[in-house]
Amino acid sequence: MKAFTDSWVDRFSTIYAEAPLAELSWFTAAPGPELVKLVIDGVIRRGDCVVDLGSGPGVDAVFLAAQGMKVTGVDLSAAALERARAWAALAGVEVDFVHGDVLDVPLLDGLADVVTDSFVFHNMRDEARAAYAGQVHRLLRPGGLFVLNSFSDHMVAGTGPRRVTSAEILATFDSGRFDCVDLRLYRNLPTADKPDQIHWIGQFRARR
Ligand SMILES: C[S@@+](CC[C@H](N)C(=O)[O-])C[C@H]1O[C@@H](n2cnc3c(N)ncnc32)[C@H](O)[C@@H]1O
């Protein structure tokens, strides 16, 4: 099964090779502001083993590595991985960027203290959601933290992936495998075509 909806499978297979990063509608060159806060607040700590699923050009992964976390980024796009490796080299940090599918992540069970998802889940087809939650849970140690950053149904309509409701998120990640610690809306950096970026930030702890 493919993880993403058809239009986004096609788009992501080429876009990182064809377009400058600044032309991508979701690219802000900054790590997610709520991710930054989780580091400032000590929820994600130095030495934590973090897996960033769908790491794209690696902005979150490089930020976390610069903060002392041991980071692995996973992405299906070779061009995205190439850009992410270049960004890590420029920043002078070690990140393991791995080619892989979020529905079949080539990493060991229970290795992660933290799994992050920035703008991956909202691209996913309904049938893939349970398998994806299974992968996130498999990668986390018991009690490990999943951090979800996602488009929401409260943001402007228009181009781009699906808008996701809190009910959809809770049905996927609070259904036996995880405990929801936090799920709320926040205002993200605006982009040219999305001035009102009202997104979800969620924290879920993996049950045993
Ligand atoms: C909207 S981008 C988000 C990138 C990055 N997390 C960020 O916040 O900038 C979604 C990413 O998921 C990747 N992707 C798409 N399908 C995937 C799959 N099945 N497995 C792994 N990565 C995938 C794309 O290549 C792309 O880099």
Side-chain angles (χ1 to χ4, degrees):
M1 185 197 341
K2 285 182 179 155
F4 280 24
T5 55
D6 284 340
S7 57
W8 288 93
V9 167
D10 294 345
R11 185 109 190 266
F12 282 121
S13 62
T14 56
I15 194 148
Y16 285 110
E18 289 172 353
L21 291 176
E23 288 178 13
L24 306 184
S25 66
W26 60 90
F27 184 79
T28 61
E34 295 292 330
L35 184 69
V36 173
K37 282 188 207 162
L38 290 173
V39 173
I40 292 171
D41 292 344
V43 176
I44 305 175
R45 302 189 197 98
R46 297 188 85 76
D48 276 355
C49 185
V50 182
V51 175
D52 186 23
L53 294 175
S55 48
V59 178
D60 283 352
V62 168
F63 160 71
L64 291 168
Q67 289 295 318
M69 292 80 188
K70 288 174 261 172
V71 186
T72 303
V74 180
D75 206 286
L76 204 54
S77 159
L81 291 165
E82 194 181 311
R83 278 156 176 66
R85 289 185 185 116
W87 173 217
L90 188 65
V93 296
E94 294 260 335
V95 180
D96 195 11
F97 284 110
V98 174
H99 184 256
D101 191 318
V102 295
L103 295 187
D104 186 19
V105 180
L107 297 173
L108 295 175
D109 295 2
L111 67 79
D113 300 298
V114 180
V115 171
T116 55
D117 167 333
S118 174
F119 302 146
V120 172
F121 178 67
H122 62 218
N123 294 287
M124 214 161 268
R125 60 185 78 222
D126 290 354
E127 318 82 89
R129 287 176 173 178
Y132 179 60
Q135 286 290 301
V136 173
H137 187 266
R138 181 184 71 73
L139 292 168
L140 283 168
R141 64 167 171 77
L145 183 68
F146 174 52
V147 179
L148 175 69
N149 183 27
S150 167
F151 273 21
S152 83
D153 51 333
H154 295 254
M155 62 188 285
V156 287
T159 60
R162 313 167 69 183
R163 274 50 170 169
V164 177
T165 66
S166 56
E168 290 174 275
I169 292 173
L170 291 172
T172 307
F173 297 107
D174 194 30
S175 57
R177 291 190 179 111
F178 299 90
D179 292 311
C180 181
V181 179
D182 186 24
L183 181 62
R184 62 188 160 74
L185 297 163
Y186 75 99
R187 187 177 296 278
N188 204 347
L189 289 165
T191 61
D193 62 343
K194 295 188 183 64
D196 252 336
Q197 297 241 72
I198 309 297
H199 293 160
W200 293 114
I201 184 73
Q203 292 181 56
F204 299 84
R205 288 271 171 205
R207 290 187 192 163
R208 286 174 195 280

